[in-house]
Amino acid sequence: MQSRTPAPRATGRPRSAAADAAILAATREALVELGWSKLTLGDVATRAGVAKTTLYRRWAGKNELVVDAVAELFDELRLPDRGTLAADIEGVVLQFAAILARPEAKSGLMAVVAESIRDDALRERIRESIVDRQKRLVLEGRARAQARGELPPETDPLEATRTVDLIFDMVAGAVVHRTLVSAEPADEEWVRNFTQVLLTGLAGTP
Amino acid sequence: MQSRTPAPRATGRPRSAAADAAILAATREALVELGWSKLTLGDVATRAGVAKTTLYRRWAGKNELVVDAVAELFDELRLPDRGTLAADIEGVVLQFAAILARPEAKSGLMAVVAESIRDDALRERIRESIVDRQKRLVLEGRARAQARGELPPETDPLEATRTVDLIFDMVAGAVVHRTLVSAEPADEEWVRNFTQVLLTGLAGTP
Amino acid sequence: MQSRTPAPRATGRPRSAAADAAILAATREALVELGWSKLTLGDVATRAGVAKTTLYRRWAGKNELVVDAVAELFDELRLPDRGTLAADIEGVVLQFAAILARPEAKSGLMAVVAESIRDDALRERIRESIVDRQKRLVLEGRARAQARGELPPETDPLEATRTVDLIFDMVAGAVVHRTLVSAEPADEEWVRNFTQVLLTGLAGTP
Amino acid sequence: MQSRTPAPRATGRPRSAAADAAILAATREALVELGWSKLTLGDVATRAGVAKTTLYRRWAGKNELVVDAVAELFDELRLPDRGTLAADIEGVVLQFAAILARPEAKSGLMAVVAESIRDDALRERIRESIVDRQKRLVLEGRARAQARGELPPETDPLEATRTVDLIFDMVAGAVVHRTLVSAEPADEEWVRNFTQVLLTGLAGTP
DNA sequence: ACCTAAGCGAGACGGTACGTCTGGTCTTTCT
DNA sequence: AGAAAGACCAGACGTACCGTCTCGCTTAGGT
């Protein structure tokens, strides 16, 4: 997680591996109970049975800690193979919606995105830990649809990247907006309608 | 804004109308300079040339204040009549993107949405002040497209409402995600591509 | 009280005479319930059924108001004629102790004295309203004792004044210290002992 | 001072001993410059180069802090041995008067006594830190006078205690009243007169 | 079996903002 | 012009967290 290059320390007492896990779990627990703005690092440390110094030795602050705590939630996303592009999309979007329905994800995600607006390093960390990691799903889905003949093959590789980004923004944006701003569940019916518009457009080509 | 129906007071010195405007302007200024998390109400009061008590007499806290300050930004959105549905959408999405490009909108909007997750009253306030107010644009656009024959008329009114919500989530979600999460500009090219996918679907029906 | 020269106003609504009394009574009531430091002028105004402005129009602040409110309490002191100097002193000291036992006197008196240390005008006001007004008791007592032959007549008038001040400081100081600092009641027994020491000295001349 | 036996803490960073001294000194400085009512704990903290939290961690509030700051002033009182009871009393009273002449003592002492009227814990603290500590002077003075044969030996021990309290109230009360209420200096002449009345009584036995 | 450097829990530290309260003043309308 | 009402500016209050620091203690690997 936070340890990009663990810098092999030769001497001294090694850092407790258990502490990391306990801290991240405590962070998610606190997010559920208190929400972002009332979550304090002192409280997280207490919940994790750890001193504040231990926490600060590993994370720079609340933002970084929550990014790592939330990122783990999204790693369980998988692209199911349900036979058609529409079914695949519906499947993955439902998974995404299920994660976003969890209070620790809701509370944490928007808050760190909000913080990232004035903090480039944080945005980069979010991108690495959360966003880019999930773009693979779009790529995979497209490849599978092309293999099935549901989508034409790529011609322009630049154009291809641009489209992946656009689709990702559209899918993630819609689900997030539905869940967090409109505060309505992204349930099966909504996902079906969304997928149809995404695939066939507003006019609903038959 | 915050005064839904201020209960017409008979006696005593009336509240200064100028103070409200000064406070909201100062809030936006502080959002630009400091961002959400470093914005303090004491600082806003100072910038507005107003005592802290005056501020607290009118708003319950940072969240409510920023909702009102940001809401004003979105009131300038207009649906242009450019002749076709595609052009109309492109026009309004570009306006939306332009507002979201302003730092006071960026900093404030996501933060209050994040806060609203654990605060129902705040979410309701956001919905009233910002979200529902702009859904009119979707309604207007559809009506115009139907008049032009670009979209079929409604049959089921319930279905019609559901579609408005879906479209709103898709449009707003995509632009917000592009701007705030991906942190890339929603420029003319992106808007053109987005509009095409929205209208004709992923496969790009001609 | 506070109006040394009522400045005969020709025009406009005259000041309510009842308000003065209500305010001073409310002040004493608040002193009993809240004590000096938690007494607020807003609260006094509310208790008196009067606007804060009315209160400030008549008194400069908390200090002045409380001096006037407390001064009234001491005006009821009388020097009884009990036949001997010792009995006279005991009588008046017991009265003084009874007043100081009342919470509004306790709370208010020491506080304004404390404030007066850095405020000459306030000290002067206290002297006029409280201290000098009661020195008459010492003068009266001495005159009566001289008439009875218990004390020799004055020779040096300057010396005479000096002695009055000394006796006053000794009597008032002892009772105040007993009541407020030692926080023990200045009851009959204590007063008897005190009077004896005062009259015959430490060694207790028979 | 405030640390009656702070329960020897085993772990954590120990409290800075220097901070205590700096805070008490800053408190006295602020008392001199500002007086009681304009003294703020924030200002004291700043003067002491200490955070407000550090101050509140050690003292419950302004009252307790000032008691400790003032108490230190009285610890320098000593009973001189000048050969006679009268001379001993004059010596110690002059010392007491000299301390009370200092603005930090004046400003602080009366104010905390005033506050103590509604706060039993505070009164107890004052008694422990200031009053009872100085009663030793009366005891010592009496013992010495008895050794010299100036005063008869005790017979009734209860009566003896009562007399100590009475003398203390008379001495302290008179000096305090002279200094703070009458606002006249307790100079050598006054002390001589006072001592004579105290020893020989009003009629002035030759 | 030591040595030593880093990690650890605890809690004090200097700061900063919070949201509330009070002190006095000012601005309304009504009397 | 005075009064009641209540908004206004100013600034202290006591609390809560922040992120850092200083303790004494533990825990390894290197010798």
Side-chain angles (χ1 to χ4, degrees):
Chain A
M1 284 302 121
Q2 84 291 359
S3 49
R4 316 265 180 233
T5 24
R9 253 166 290 93
T11 158
R13 177 173 172 177
R15 291 190 177 169
S16 158
D20 269 73
I23 291 169
L24 290 173
T27 303
R28 282 187 290 267
E29 186 188 301
L31 275 175
V32 173
E33 285 180 31
L34 307 171
W36 161 267
S37 61
K38 299 199 172 171
L39 177 153
T40 72
L41 294 198
D43 182 64
V44 169
T46 304
R47 284 169 191 265
V50 139
K52 259 202 303 177
T53 28
T54 300
L55 208 157
Y56 276 105
R57 209 173 284 122
R58 300 168 190 219
W59 284 276
K62 193 165 154 174
N63 295 334
E64 288 73 12
L65 174 61
V66 170
V67 170
D68 285 1
V70 168
E72 290 188 343
L73 297 173
F74 289 94
D75 282 339
E76 60 191 48
L77 277 177
R78 296 286 176 274
L79 185 70
D81 190 341
R82 295 174 157 195
T84 66
L85 177 55
D88 285 4
I89 292 177
E90 285 180 21
V92 80
V93 167
L94 274 172
Q95 283 180 57
F96 186 45
I99 292 171
L100 273 188
R102 295 166 64 175
E104 62 270 41
K106 276 209 249 247
S107 294
L109 188 60
M110 280 292 91
V112 292
V113 168
E115 292 296 311
S116 79
I117 284 158
R118 312 209 71 216
D119 181 343
D120 291 341
L122 182 63
R123 184 170 50 234
E124 199 45 46
R125 191 181 189 113
I126 292 174
R127 201 200 298 267
E128 275 180 39
S129 304
I130 306 181
V131 180
D132 283 354
R133 227 185 260 244
Q134 308 312 333
K135 276 199 181 153
R136 61 182 166 84
L137 297 167
V138 179
L139 283 164
E140 225 176 302
R142 178 168 66 180
R144 209 180 278 167
Q146 287 169 337
R148 289 194 197 109
E150 292 173 296
L151 287 179
E154 302 307 313
T155 50
D156 179 358
L158 187 74
E159 173 65 25
T161 305
R162 201 183 296 140
T163 306
V164 168
D165 289 347
L166 174 61
I167 301 308
F168 191 75
D169 284 333
M170 287 184 72
V171 174
V175 177
V176 167
H177 202 272
R178 169 77 177 177
T179 310
L180 305 187
V181 181
S182 299
E184 305 280 352
D187 55 17
E188 286 203 34
E189 187 190 355
W190 184 88
V191 170
R192 207 178 314 121
N193 289 333
F194 166 72
T195 307
Q196 201 200 328
V197 171
L198 183 68
L199 286 176
T200 64
L202 264 190
T205 341
Chain B
M1 285 300 124
Q2 86 290 0
S3 49
R4 314 270 179 227
T5 22
R9 247 168 296 91
T11 78
R13 178 173 171 175
R15 291 193 177 169
S16 157
D20 268 73
I23 292 169
L24 290 173
T27 303
R28 284 187 289 267
E29 187 187 301
L31 275 175
V32 173
E33 286 180 31
L34 306 170
W36 162 267
S37 62
K38 300 201 170 167
L39 177 152
T40 71
L41 295 199
D43 181 64
V44 169
T46 304
R47 285 170 191 263
V50 140
K52 258 200 305 177
T53 34
T54 298
L55 208 156
Y56 278 105
R57 205 175 288 122
R58 300 169 189 218
W59 284 276
K62 196 165 152 173
N63 295 335
E64 288 74 13
L65 174 61
V66 170
V67 170
D68 285 1
V70 169
E72 290 189 341
L73 295 173
F74 290 94
D75 282 338
E76 61 190 49
L77 277 177
R78 296 286 176 273
L79 185 71
D81 190 341
R82 294 173 157 195
T84 68
L85 177 56
D88 285 4
I89 292 177
E90 285 181 22
V92 78
V93 167
L94 274 172
Q95 281 180 57
F96 186 45
I99 292 170
L100 273 187
R102 294 165 67 172
E104 62 269 42
K106 274 209 251 253
S107 296
L109 189 60
M110 282 292 92
V112 292
V113 167
E115 292 296 312
S116 78
I117 284 158
R118 311 207 80 234
D119 180 344
D120 290 340
L122 182 62
R123 184 171 51 233
E124 198 45 43
R125 192 184 189 111
I126 292 174
R127 200 200 299 268
E128 275 181 41
S129 304
I130 306 183
V131 179
D132 283 355
R133 228 185 259 249
Q134 308 310 332
K135 277 200 180 151
R136 63 182 165 85
L137 298 167
V138 179
L139 283 164
E140 223 177 302
R142 180 171 64 181
R144 208 181 277 168
Q146 288 170 334
R148 288 191 197 110
E150 292 172 296
L151 288 179
E154 301 308 313
T155 52
D156 179 359
L158 187 74
E159 172 67 25
T161 305
R162 201 182 297 137
T163 307
V164 167
D165 289 348
L166 175 60
I167 301 309
F168 191 75
D169 283 333
M170 287 184 72
V171 174
V175 177
V176 167
H177 203 272
R178 169 77 176 178
T179 311
L180 304 188
V181 181
S182 300
E184 304 281 353
D187 53 19
E188 286 203 35
E189 187 188 357
W190 184 88
V191 172
R192 210 178 312 121
N193 289 332
F194 167 72
T195 306
Q196 203 199 330
V197 172
L198 182 68
L199 285 177
T200 63
L202 264 190
T205 342
Chain C
M1 284 300 125
Q2 85 293 355
S3 47
R4 316 264 179 232
T5 25
R9 255 166 288 95
T11 159
R13 176 170 169 178
R15 289 191 178 172
S16 158
D20 268 74
I23 291 169
L24 289 174
T27 303
R28 282 187 291 267
E29 185 188 303
L31 274 175
V32 173
E33 286 180 30
L34 308 170
W36 162 267
S37 62
K38 298 199 172 170
L39 177 153
T40 71
L41 294 197
D43 182 63
V44 169
T46 304
R47 283 169 192 265
V50 139
K52 260 204 300 179
T53 26
T54 300
L55 209 156
Y56 276 106
R57 209 173 286 122
R58 300 169 188 216
W59 284 276
K62 193 165 154 174
N63 295 335
E64 288 75 12
L65 174 61
V66 171
V67 170
D68 285 1
V70 168
E72 290 189 342
L73 297 174
F74 290 94
D75 282 339
E76 61 190 50
L77 277 177
R78 296 286 175 274
L79 186 69
D81 190 341
R82 295 175 158 196
T84 67
L85 176 55
D88 286 4
I89 292 178
E90 285 181 22
V92 78
V93 167
L94 273 172
Q95 282 181 57
F96 187 44
I99 293 172
L100 272 187
R102 295 167 65 174
E104 62 269 42
K106 276 209 247 254
S107 295
L109 187 61
M110 280 292 90
V112 293
V113 167
E115 292 296 312
S116 78
I117 285 157
R118 312 205 81 232
D119 181 343
D120 290 341
L122 181 63
R123 184 171 51 234
E124 200 44 46
R125 192 184 189 109
I126 292 174
R127 200 199 299 267
E128 275 181 39
S129 305
I130 305 181
V131 179
D132 282 356
R133 229 187 258 245
Q134 310 312 332
K135 276 198 180 152
R136 61 181 165 84
L137 298 168
V138 179
L139 283 165
E140 224 176 302
R142 178 169 65 181
R144 209 181 277 167
Q146 288 170 336
R148 288 192 197 111
E150 292 174 297
L151 287 179
E154 301 308 313
T155 51
D156 179 0
L158 186 73
E159 172 66 25
T161 306
R162 201 183 295 137
T163 306
V164 168
D165 290 346
L166 174 61
I167 301 308
F168 191 75
D169 284 332
M170 286 184 73
V171 174
V175 177
V176 167
H177 203 272
R178 169 77 176 177
T179 310
L180 305 187
V181 181
S182 299
E184 304 282 352
D187 52 19
E188 286 203 33
E189 187 188 356
W190 184 88
V191 171
R192 209 177 313 122
N193 290 332
F194 167 71
T195 306
Q196 202 200 328
V197 172
L198 184 67
L199 285 176
T200 64
L202 264 189
T205 340
Chain D
M1 283 305 123
Q2 87 291 359
S3 47
R4 312 275 178 216
T5 18
R9 249 170 291 92
T11 76
R13 177 173 172 176
R15 291 194 176 168
S16 158
D20 267 75
I23 291 170
L24 290 173
T27 303
R28 284 187 289 267
E29 186 187 302
L31 275 175
V32 173
E33 286 181 30
L34 306 170
W36 162 268
S37 62
K38 299 200 171 167
L39 178 153
T40 72
L41 294 198
D43 181 64
V44 169
T46 304
R47 284 169 192 265
V50 140
K52 251 199 312 174
T53 36
T54 298
L55 209 155
Y56 277 105
R57 208 174 286 122
R58 300 170 189 217
W59 285 276
K62 195 165 152 174
N63 296 335
E64 288 75 12
L65 174 60
V66 170
V67 170
D68 285 1
V70 168
E72 290 188 341
L73 296 173
F74 290 94
D75 283 337
E76 61 191 48
L77 277 176
R78 296 287 174 273
L79 184 71
D81 190 341
R82 293 174 158 195
T84 66
L85 176 55
D88 285 4
I89 292 177
E90 285 181 21
V92 78
V93 167
L94 273 172
Q95 282 181 57
F96 187 44
I99 292 171
L100 273 187
R102 295 166 65 174
E104 62 270 41
K106 275 208 251 246
S107 296
L109 188 60
M110 280 292 92
V112 293
V113 167
E115 293 296 311
S116 79
I117 284 157
R118 312 214 54 194
D119 180 344
D120 290 342
L122 182 62
R123 183 171 50 234
E124 199 44 44
R125 193 183 189 111
I126 292 174
R127 200 199 300 267
E128 275 181 41
S129 304
I130 306 182
V131 179
D132 284 354
R133 227 186 260 248
Q134 307 312 331
K135 278 203 180 148
R136 59 179 169 87
L137 298 167
V138 179
L139 283 164
E140 226 176 300
R142 181 170 62 181
R144 208 181 279 167
Q146 289 170 334
R148 289 192 196 110
E150 291 173 298
L151 287 179
E154 302 307 315
T155 52
D156 179 359
L158 186 74
E159 172 66 25
T161 306
R162 201 182 297 139
T163 307
V164 167
D165 289 346
L166 174 60
I167 302 309
F168 191 74
D169 284 333
M170 287 184 72
V171 174
V175 178
V176 167
H177 203 272
R178 168 78 175 178
T179 311
L180 305 187
V181 181
S182 300
E184 305 281 353
D187 52 19
E188 286 204 34
E189 186 189 357
W190 184 89
V191 171
R192 208 177 313 121
N193 289 332
F194 166 73
T195 305
Q196 202 200 327
V197 172
L198 183 67
L199 285 176
T200 64
L202 265 190
T205 340

